Amino acid sequence: MVSTRSGAGDGASPSQPTTTPHKTSKTPAKSKRTQNHKHEYEFFGPHGPALLVLVLPTVVYGLYFGCNSQECLKVWPKLQLPTLSVSADLFTTEAFYVVLGWFFSLVALHLLLPGKRVQGVVLPDGSKLTYKLNAFLLFIITYGAAIYLGFVRNSLNLGYLYDAFLPLTTAATLFSTALAVYLYASSFKKGAMLSSHGATGWPWYDFWMGRELNPRVGPLDLKEFCELYPGLIGWALINLGMAHKQWTSLGRVTNSMVLVNVFQLYYVADALWNEASILTTMDITTDGFGFMLSFGDLAWVPFVFTTGARYLVFVPQDLPVWGVALVLGVKALGYWVFRGANGQKDQFRRDPTHPSVAHLKTLPTARGTKLIISGWWGASRHINYFGDWIMGLSWCMPCGLVGLQSVIPYFYCIYFASLLIHRERRDEAACRAKYGADWDKYCKLVPYRIIPYVY
């Protein structure tokens, strides 16, 4: 799933768990069970994912049925629950074909168009996989064509993405689940390289986490492709579709809709432009490809992250000048913290003698590396997460106080906070395993996890 990609203020290397993928093998049930007991499980233990596989789609549908053009949950000043009696098709064949067409059209473009060849990290057997990267090119082609055909030529009804939002959600849910089933089944083929996170022997846990580390179909790397191409570009296009629906309904696009589109478009474009950076993230190097990433990439990202833009279609609003200034100020603050922290860490890794970081105080470790204990990384151990969350808040703020009454338009920043806390705990465990007693010393010197003086 799309998330923050930087860890603690480690001046030597990214904070990633020291886990090792391995080849599939036939292991007696008894030894598997022994291995299971030693495994440190996430997501509420080995049986938790069986519930999460149902909970996540329920949340996606809950956001739609809880707030739509016919009714919307309100929590203040008086609680008002939706009746959930929405007159809309849950599934249509047309929407299913649209989702399939979108996915496989991108696959074709990805394989046929030119792209940069980049090697990934070293695998346990000493080899490296080669990745073809052209996500930004595909983004320019598809997003540019949508703007031209939808807004200039007025020959493409982008508002369909709003009108058919519910059946498109169902189609994406079915497709991503089917992909996860295929990935789980195919991971049992001979010679498949498995992720230690998803090869525990517990079926539901492994289905959720993903057994195979880098599943491929011919030249197509399924995990890297799904991480960035259909979901992220689809997120930007659905937002654009919401703006188009507002444009055809009102004859204009409100400034709040513009803000949501611009903020999230920049995030998507930045991720696609820097596609190579994903090759060193935990999603690619450590996690397998299972339901968690399949559903997250193909259904959760495009149909949850667009909640604010969808809300602004049926509750359009123009923010006053001071409101726009406030939203922009919050966005700028978050960007300053996020980029400042990551820039400081990256510069220290490249050249710790550089004038911009030479003054930083550090804690030497037994590994021969140093942990930053001043500057941005002296404020909290994951200060970049705080900046990232502030930016996420600015994405929701264009929905105004009216949206806050419902809470649903602000779901993203609530969800994002929980995601960052989970990722922070994951990073902490990885760093403690990596640095041992030195990490305990570091935590005493930098006691706050994300928010200085708060958490």
Side-chain angles (χ1 to χ4, degrees):
M1 304 165 81
V2 173
S3 58
T4 319
R5 287 171 288 278
S6 297
D10 175 1
S13 60
S15 299
Q16 294 182 349
T18 54
T19 55
T20 304
H22 52 279
K23 296 286 186 178
T24 185
S25 61
K26 294 182 179 180
T27 307
K30 185 175 181 180
S31 60
K32 275 190 175 183
R33 183 54 57 91
T34 302
Q35 184 180 4
N36 289 339
H37 285 306
K38 294 179 180 179
H39 191 91
E40 293 185 6
Y41 295 97
E42 301 179 72
F43 304 104
F44 314 108
H47 304 295
L51 182 62
L52 291 175
V53 167
L54 299 176
V55 168
L56 289 192
T58 301
V59 171
V60 176
Y61 284 111
L63 293 173
Y64 179 86
F65 285 104
C67 196
N68 51 72
S69 60
Q70 299 174 40
E71 56 183 0
C72 196
L73 165 73
K74 286 187 178 180
V75 296
W76 69 279
K78 183 180 179 181
L79 180 63
Q80 182 178 329
L81 298 176
T83 62
L84 305 181
S85 58
V86 177
S87 57
D89 292 325
L90 184 64
F91 174 86
T92 64
T93 303
E94 180 184 52
F96 191 71
Y97 286 152
V98 167
V99 168
L100 290 180
W102 168 246
F103 184 88
F104 289 107
S105 294
L106 285 181
V107 169
L109 290 173
H110 172 61
L111 296 177
L112 295 174
L113 295 179
K116 183 179 180 181
R117 303 283 177 170
V118 176
Q119 287 191 323
V121 299
V122 178
L123 297 174
D125 61 3
S127 65
K128 292 183 178 181
L129 291 176
T130 299
Y131 294 85
K132 180 180 181 181
L133 310 182
N134 56 9
F136 192 76
L137 174 62
L138 268 62
F139 166 68
I140 293 298
I141 292 173
T142 54
Y143 195 83
I147 290 179
Y148 178 71
L149 296 175
F151 287 88
V152 179
R153 293 292 302 272
N154 199 25
S155 59
L156 179 63
N157 178 25
L158 292 174
Y160 170 81
L161 298 173
Y162 171 82
D163 296 332
F165 192 87
L166 183 58
L168 287 171
T169 300
T170 300
T173 299
L174 293 175
F175 179 72
S176 61
T177 302
L179 177 60
V181 171
Y182 162 78
L183 292 168
Y184 182 76
S186 66
S187 69
F188 289 93
K189 65 181 179 289
K190 184 179 180 179
M193 183 170 289
L194 306 185
S195 164
S196 60
H197 285 192
T200 66
W202 293 102
W204 277 113
Y205 191 86
D206 295 346
F207 174 74
W208 168 266
M209 296 297 293
R211 297 184 79 249
E212 190 169 0
L213 185 63
N214 301 111
R216 292 190 165 196
V217 177
L220 178 66
D221 188 285
L222 289 170
K223 183 166 64 170
E224 195 277 336
F225 176 80
C226 290
E227 277 278 294
L228 290 178
Y229 291 71
L232 276 187
I233 301 175
W235 171 13
L237 285 177
I238 291 176
N239 274 347
L240 188 65
M242 301 304 159
H244 188 272
K245 183 66 176 182
Q246 194 181 74
W247 179 56
T248 55
S249 300
L250 301 179
R252 63 188 178 89
V253 178
T254 62
N255 60 15
S256 56
M257 181 68 84
V258 170
L259 287 172
V260 169
N261 268 263
V262 170
F263 287 168
Q264 297 185 5
L265 180 64
Y266 175 79
Y267 186 94
V268 170
D270 180 70
L272 299 177
W273 175 261
N274 296 290
E275 182 179 4
S277 65
I278 198 176
L279 301 182
T280 58
T281 63
M282 183 181 292
D283 285 357
I284 300 297
T285 64
T286 307
D287 291 336
F289 192 22
F291 183 87
M292 178 178 69
L293 290 180
S294 176
F295 180 81
D297 294 337
L298 304 179
W300 184 273
V301 167
F303 294 99
V304 169
F305 292 5
T306 53
T307 297
R310 182 175 62 84
Y311 175 80
L312 290 172
V313 173
F314 53 86
V315 187
Q317 50 188 302
D318 278 305
L319 300 177
V321 174
W322 65 265
V324 173
L326 178 61
V327 173
L328 292 175
V330 171
K331 174 68 174 181
L333 173 63
Y335 186 82
W336 174 60
V337 174
F338 181 76
R339 285 301 178 197
N342 284 335
Q344 186 179 78
K345 181 181 63 174
D346 292 341
Q347 181 59 56
F348 187 85
R349 285 175 176 168
R350 288 194 302 269
D351 180 11
T353 64
H354 191 276
S356 64
V357 295
H359 66 284
L360 295 174
K361 297 179 182 179
T362 60
L363 172 69
T365 70
R367 293 172 57 91
T369 59
K370 297 178 180 180
L371 295 171
I372 305 172
I373 58 173
S374 66
W376 285 109
W377 299 97
S380 77
R381 302 196 291 272
H382 303 273
I383 188 68
N384 55 336
Y385 286 7
F386 185 40
D388 210 0
W389 183 82
I390 294 173
M391 287 192 290
L393 175 63
S394 72
W395 294 2
C396 302
M397 289 176 65
C399 294
L401 293 176
V402 177
L404 192 58
Q405 286 181 332
S406 171
V407 175
I408 287 181
Y410 283 77
F411 175 81
Y412 175 79
C413 65
I414 299 171
Y415 149 77
F416 197 34
S418 65
L419 177 68
L420 291 177
I421 290 173
H422 172 264
R423 186 153 294 232
E424 172 265 322
R425 294 302 175 107
R426 207 180 192 192
D427 289 344
E428 290 280 317
C431 289
R432 182 160 281 105
K434 182 177 181 180
Y435 295 105
D438 289 327
W439 188 254
D440 295 328
K441 296 177 185 177
Y442 172 67
C443 291
K444 291 180 180 178
L445 294 170
V446 185
Y448 299 103
R449 295 173 178 267
I450 298 178
I451 307 175
Y453 304 104
V454 177
Y455 173 76

